[in-house]
Amino acid sequence: MSIDFRFTEEQEEFRELLTGFAERELLPRYVERSASTDFPFDALRQLGDLGVLGIGMPERFGGTGEDDPVLLGLATETLARGDVNLASAPIQVGLVAAQLVHGSEAVQERYLPGLIAGEHNLAIALTEPGSGSDAAALRTTATRVPGGWRLNGEKTAISWATTAVAAVVYAREPGTTRSGGVSCLVVPLDAEGVTRRHMLGMGCLPLGWGSLHFDDVFVPDENLVGEEGRGFQVAMHHFDFSRAAIGLMCLGAAERSLEEAAVYATQREAFGKPIAQLQGVSFPIAEHATYIEGARWVSYKALWAREQGRAHTSLASMSKWWAPVVAKNAIEAAMKIHGNLGYSAEFPLQQRYRDVTAYLVADGTAEIQQGIISKEILGSGRVADY
Ligand SMILES: Cc1cc2nc3c(=O)[nH]c(=O)nc-3n(C[C@H](O)[C@H](O)[C@H](O)COP(=O)(O)OP(=O)(O)OC[C@H]3O[C@@H](n4cnc5c(N)ncnc54)[C@H](O)[C@@H]3O)c2cc1C
């Protein structure tokens, strides 16, 4: 069979549905929503109703049942045209749920239906004040006690820290080092001993970014996810999915920005003609459209490879380091084409720039991704992914 870059009919239908939703429901209030630290749960429930949060989730809890990473990527790319922050919700839900399905029946019943319906969300707490890129250096401890664990430590820079009902927390058995002895525990954030602190970022305000402090918090046995002491490996596997989806999300915001710039360039006149007729304006549009298209297909290939059960760690890292850079640069170019309006807080361009910039760091920096890619190339001696 020859190579085929087309989406299926079902995927195209879903994309059309979400494009309409992003344009009509999300985009008009994006700037207003982004200025607030309140998460718009009304819009999250709309995503639940559209079925976006149930892709690949167990059918008995309201999901589609069938794993479809490409569809999830398509959804995040499309939704980001309207609101980048809301577009991150399916990725967060996908990451959390991929872990909860390895939890007890009680944990699944408590959290999965609400996640899929968009009624609540959970945070993922890995980063600590002393360990980010070097996640295996985490220090939060989970000490065995009758009926469960006692959790002590601090997590920082956590999305949804202020609004989540619970967090998926990575903590180690005292005395263990690196990835050994790390377990994944679901911790209700109203439990005794949990304190939350909001952190203000340059964008992504509705995502409730912040730190979580655990002071002798009791976590019952049933809240263990996966095998005790093997939580780290599971977390790393799922990041291969989120990295490619994040790339597409950033690109969705960039596509919309560049399209706005193309329209504006045909309307705005300078020196007696539309600025679109100036190559200094039209060539950057062509250049950034080229980068966007290239980065899109690296990201979709990573998701396709995941769906096919093929190795995709390197492709996922390529999407994660490159796509946010491509998106940020394209949005910057679109801002410049809009002149003073591009800088105006009344327009979405500056907001997209600030929101997309988060993903140069969140979920792993470019240096960490390039370390993963180069290790694979140096090991195999091959560059192209056949
Ligand atoms: C908006 C946002 C949302 C986030 N959400 C979450 C979340 O929900 N959950 C969560 O657990 N974390 C979250 N994070 C944290 C994020 O994953 C970390 O910030 C990231 O992994 C980097 O860790 P760090 O900030 O500690 O930087 P460091 O690890 O201290 O890195 C500092 C600098 O050193 C470089 N560096 C480090 N190691 C190497 C190396 N080996 N080679 C070359 N350069 C290196 C890095 O690239 C970086 O430039 C979020 C971050 C942001 C900005």
Side-chain angles (χ1 to χ4, degrees):
M1 196 177 81
S2 65
I3 196 164
D4 188 347
F5 290 100
R6 281 172 307 181
F7 296 110
T8 65
E9 226 170 274
E10 276 171 11
Q11 287 167 340
E12 280 296 351
E13 271 171 27
F14 199 51
R15 190 171 67 83
E16 260 172 52
L17 177 75
L18 296 186
T19 302
F21 176 74
E23 292 290 329
R24 279 192 309 274
E25 302 284 332
L26 299 184
L27 188 57
R29 289 190 48 224
Y30 167 55
V31 172
E32 183 195 330
R33 272 193 303 267
S34 305
S36 166
T37 52
D38 294 333
F39 189 84
F41 278 98
D42 51 343
L44 188 69
R45 274 189 289 275
Q46 283 181 295
L47 294 188
D49 292 343
L50 285 165
V52 177
L53 305 174
I55 300 169
M57 305 290 159
E59 274 176 289
R60 65 196 173 108
F61 296 125
T64 60
E66 210 174 312
D67 204 17
D68 196 343
V70 172
L71 189 65
L72 200 50
L74 200 58
T76 59
E77 181 191 14
T78 310
L79 292 171
R81 295 172 60 88
D83 186 325
V84 198
N85 295 318
L86 268 162
S88 74
I91 305 175
Q92 177 82 10
V93 168
L95 258 182
V96 169
Q99 304 184 58
L100 294 192
V101 293
H102 302 293
S104 65
E105 197 56 30
V107 157
Q108 294 191 48
E109 278 174 10
R110 199 172 309 139
Y111 297 115
L112 283 175
L115 271 177
I116 293 167
E119 279 158 11
H120 61 216
N121 204 350
L122 277 77
I124 299 170
L126 181 61
T127 305
E128 298 186 359
S131 59
S133 305
D134 184 11
L138 67 88
R139 287 191 183 165
T140 297
T141 55
T143 308
R144 260 284 177 209
V145 292
W149 293 266
R150 286 278 171 192
L151 192 65
N152 283 285
E154 185 183 349
K155 299 288 180 181
T156 194
I158 308 303
S159 304
W160 296 85
T162 60
T163 54
V165 283
V168 175
V169 179
Y170 296 87
R172 66 170 64 260
E173 190 187 330
T176 60
T177 56
R178 305 303 297 168
S179 59
V182 175
S183 295
C184 176
L185 302 169
V186 181
V187 183
L189 293 180
D190 59 358
E192 203 183 329
V194 177
T195 41
R196 323 186 194 201
R197 188 175 63 83
H198 186 246
M199 291 163 59
L200 211 52
M202 69 181 263
C204 297
L205 296 191
L207 295 190
W209 201 46
S211 62
L212 299 170
H213 199 274
F214 304 107
D215 183 11
D216 227 19
V217 177
F218 177 71
V219 184
D221 279 333
E222 68 177 22
N223 285 23
L224 173 72
V225 172
E227 274 179 61
E228 190 172 354
R230 285 193 45 80
F232 197 76
Q233 290 78 352
V234 174
M236 291 300 127
H237 173 69
H238 295 305
F239 284 132
D240 285 348
F241 143 73
S242 62
R243 286 174 175 161
I246 284 174
L248 286 164
M249 179 181 81
C250 293
L251 293 169
E255 284 160 41
R256 174 72 206 194
S257 303
L258 212 56
E259 285 164 14
E260 287 168 9
V263 170
Y264 184 75
T266 58
Q267 294 166 348
R268 174 72 175 180
E269 292 197 357
F271 303 98
K273 57 185 176 186
I275 58 172
Q277 290 181 21
L278 305 167
Q279 290 182 349
V281 171
S282 62
F283 281 14
I285 294 177
E287 183 186 338
H288 290 287
T290 309
Y291 292 137
I292 288 174
E293 196 61 3
R296 280 183 81 223
W297 288 110
V298 172
S299 309
Y300 277 120
K301 188 171 178 192
L303 295 175
W304 168 83
R306 185 176 183 88
E307 189 182 289
Q308 301 286 316
R310 295 164 62 111
H312 58 288
T313 298
S314 202
L315 286 167
S317 286
M318 288 177 188
S319 348
K320 176 60 188 59
W321 88 256
W322 194 38
V325 174
V326 164
K328 180 184 77 68
N329 291 343
I331 295 169
E332 190 179 323
M335 286 170 69
K336 221 166 72 178
I337 290 168
H338 278 80
N340 73 82
L341 300 181
Y343 192 68
S344 165
E346 285 175 30
F347 287 81
L349 289 163
Q350 48 75 37
Q351 186 61 52
R352 291 194 193 112
Y353 185 86
R354 289 190 276 132
D355 291 341
V356 159
T357 300
Y359 299 97
L360 299 180
V361 173
D363 222 12
T365 64
E367 291 75 28
I368 293 308
Q369 308 310 324
Q370 289 170 6
I372 293 168
I373 300 161
S374 57
K375 197 170 154 194
E376 203 159 302
I377 295 169
L378 296 173
S380 67
R382 275 194 301 112
V383 169
D385 175 70
Y386 292 109

